[in-house]
Amino acid sequence: MQRLKAAQDAYPNSTGYENHHFIPLYLGGASNGQTYRLPTAYHKAVTQQFRRVWPYGQGRRPTPQELQKLLLAVYSEYPIPQLIGITP
Amino acid sequence: MRETIEFRIAERDARMHLDPGLGVSLGGSIRKVVLPVDDARVGRIAQLHRAYGERGDAFFLSWNLHRSYTEKELRAAELLNLIVRARFEPTGAMCGTTYDESSTCRHCGAGARQASDLVLDTRRIPKSKDIAQTIAGEVVVSSRFATAFRESGLRGAELRPVLHQGRGKPLSSDWLQLIVTSKPRSLSTRTVAGNNPFDLDEDDAFRCPLGHIAGLNQISELYVERSSLDDADVAVTDKLFGDRRGELRPEPRLLISPRLRDALQALPAQGYALEAAHFV
């Protein structure tokens, strides 16, 4: 809940909800892969964290093992609310 | 040429093993560390990464090699690797571009043939750029790039329309797709490819047994067989990098002549970087 609130504070003009790909497309996620409906501000915060960990647009790819570590690093800090029993 | 390597490391791990003054914090939980490739601390990070790997973990989360050149070095290069910096999504396939997958390699997924005009959400193309590419490797250029390409009499590619995915049928746009039509250049085995600079994929997990893919990632500058040289100003490598995963596809590297470099610099075009490539 703290993270959700912090994201809302960081992006006060972001309202509504957006679908978030659990594995971002630029890291090899499929367009029809698992998505979660997140508040737009939280979606922005999660996306920003992914790009801190693996910058966008560098034309490189993680191995599947590296991808697991990336996902763990991001989602341990910015969990998917639905996966920890919170309705966003 | 000056080569540096950038690492992104979880702050928790960086704090345990690295000097607290090394690198900069990104958002508090990630540390960005940039070092010359021959710095002794790079060796230390590689050791740590191997040690973490032995217990199924990883020390750094991501890496990137940066190569910077003097103007004199770039001018002296006989051949250049054009790196498209501006990337975007959704991909063509997500917007209605059709691909013929009948000749796709069953091992690596390379070889899908684009069977329609490229359809994109052109609003997602970075507006200030002259060259950009989707995360699936579809390369688009601005009309000013196209004009310069044609007026300079450059050879080796066709520029085809890019359609905008509108609410109804696709609409025309100001963007063009760069389709390389010249003979692919033979990538030399001197080109280093691998999973990361410390893991060159000795098991060939990401190399196609039929030879389509050189490796998951390009590690070194490109080396190309001189025998494959012709008079084209733009060409692709015969071997690809990457893999087929989700919307991502294996991609060749773009090679350009000094003439095309001059045309890009005269514009000046936005959205790309150049590295020297070498003939062997």
Side-chain angles (χ1 to χ4, degrees):
Chain A
M1 290 302 273
Q2 263 183 335
R3 286 282 177 201
L4 286 168
K5 175 75 172 61
Q8 206 60 64
D9 291 344
Y11 303 101
N13 298 323
S14 295
T15 56
Y17 290 81
E18 288 177 345
N19 283 328
H20 168 71
H21 282 93
F22 184 77
I23 302 176
L25 301 185
Y26 83 103
L27 291 173
S31 56
N32 61 356
Q34 178 71 59
T35 58
Y36 293 93
R37 188 168 173 267
L38 299 182
T40 301
Y42 193 63
H43 187 205
K44 285 183 176 173
V46 176
T47 300
Q48 186 186 38
Q49 186 68 0
F50 265 110
R51 292 176 185 203
R52 282 187 190 121
V53 168
W54 190 280
Y56 191 83
Q58 294 192 340
R60 289 175 302 96
R61 297 179 190 181
T63 63
Q65 293 85 347
E66 289 168 342
L67 179 61
Q68 288 304 315
K69 168 101 180 180
L70 296 181
L71 297 173
L72 190 63
V74 173
Y75 292 127
S76 60
E77 196 165 354
Y78 290 88
I80 299 288
Q82 292 90 334
L83 297 181
I84 55 169
I86 295 174
T87 304
Chain B
M1 186 264 285
R2 182 169 178 267
E3 194 170 25
T4 57
I5 185 163
E6 174 184 326
F7 298 102
R8 302 283 172 106
I9 302 166
E11 181 57 43
R12 184 185 57 249
D13 293 326
R15 202 177 296 133
M16 267 195 286
H17 298 288
L18 302 180
D19 185 325
L22 182 63
V24 295
S25 173
L26 303 177
S29 58
I30 305 297
R31 200 182 306 178
K32 173 181 160 181
V33 173
V34 181
L35 294 165
V37 290
D38 54 2
D39 190 293
R41 288 168 292 185
V42 174
R44 168 77 178 135
I45 289 171
Q47 271 181 352
L48 287 163
H49 197 65
R50 273 190 283 273
Y52 272 58
E54 283 168 13
R55 55 175 202 253
D57 200 350
F59 179 62
F60 54 81
L61 295 164
S62 70
W63 58 277
N64 195 18
L65 287 162
H66 301 278
R67 288 183 267 269
S68 60
Y69 298 82
T70 63
E71 188 58 32
K72 190 177 167 188
E73 286 171 327
L74 282 182
R75 293 214 75 77
E78 274 187 282
L79 185 69
L80 298 116
N81 176 14
L82 174 72
I83 299 165
V84 182
R85 287 279 185 233
R87 298 216 175 200
F88 64 97
E89 53 189 91
T91 64
M94 293 168 69
C95 296
T97 307
T98 57
Y99 280 86
D100 175 0
E101 303 277 357
S102 61
S103 54
T104 299
C105 174
R106 65 192 171 90
H107 298 288
C108 68
R113 192 180 61 81
Q114 188 181 321
S116 70
D117 280 337
L118 181 61
V119 186
L120 293 172
D121 181 348
T122 56
R123 295 169 303 182
R124 302 294 295 274
I125 304 173
K127 288 185 178 50
S128 60
K129 307 302 182 194
D130 294 293
I131 183 163
Q133 117 176 30
T134 68
I135 58 171
E138 297 139 329
V139 178
V140 298
V141 298
S142 67
S143 52
R144 62 194 287 270
F145 178 109
T147 302
F149 192 88
R150 289 174 180 138
E151 288 182 352
S152 302
L154 296 166
R155 284 173 291 200
E158 285 176 15
L159 299 169
R160 294 190 197 151
V162 173
L163 301 178
H164 171 67
Q165 173 203 43
R167 286 182 186 277
K169 66 175 188 178
L171 308 167
S172 64
S173 81
D174 292 336
W175 293 92
L176 294 136
Q177 183 179 15
L178 183 79
I179 303 273
V180 176
T181 53
S182 58
K183 195 179 98 184
R185 303 270 193 260
S186 302
L187 193 72
S188 162
T189 52
R190 275 190 66 181
T191 305
V192 179
N195 298 337
N196 64 53
F198 318 112
D199 173 3
L200 300 184
D201 189 14
E202 304 296 341
D203 301 332
D204 293 337
F206 292 95
R207 289 190 182 91
C208 174
L210 300 183
H212 298 124
I213 292 181
L216 187 63
N217 293 302
Q218 179 188 338
I219 307 292
S220 71
E221 291 175 317
L222 297 176
Y223 292 84
V224 172
E225 304 286 345
R226 186 176 288 278
S227 57
S228 65
L229 176 65
D230 60 18
D231 61 356
D233 294 293
V234 59
V236 291
T237 54
D238 61 346
K239 286 192 168 26
L240 314 178
F241 295 86
D243 60 352
R244 183 80 183 261
R245 191 190 309 181
E247 304 307 317
L248 308 180
R249 293 167 187 265
E251 295 172 23
R253 292 294 179 260
L254 283 169
L255 294 159
I256 67 166
S257 67
R259 276 180 9 115
L260 179 48
R261 172 203 60 205
D262 292 345
L264 290 170
Q265 289 179 341
L267 265 179
Q270 304 293 319
Y272 73 100
L274 294 175
E275 287 189 0
H278 308 277
F279 285 117
V280 293

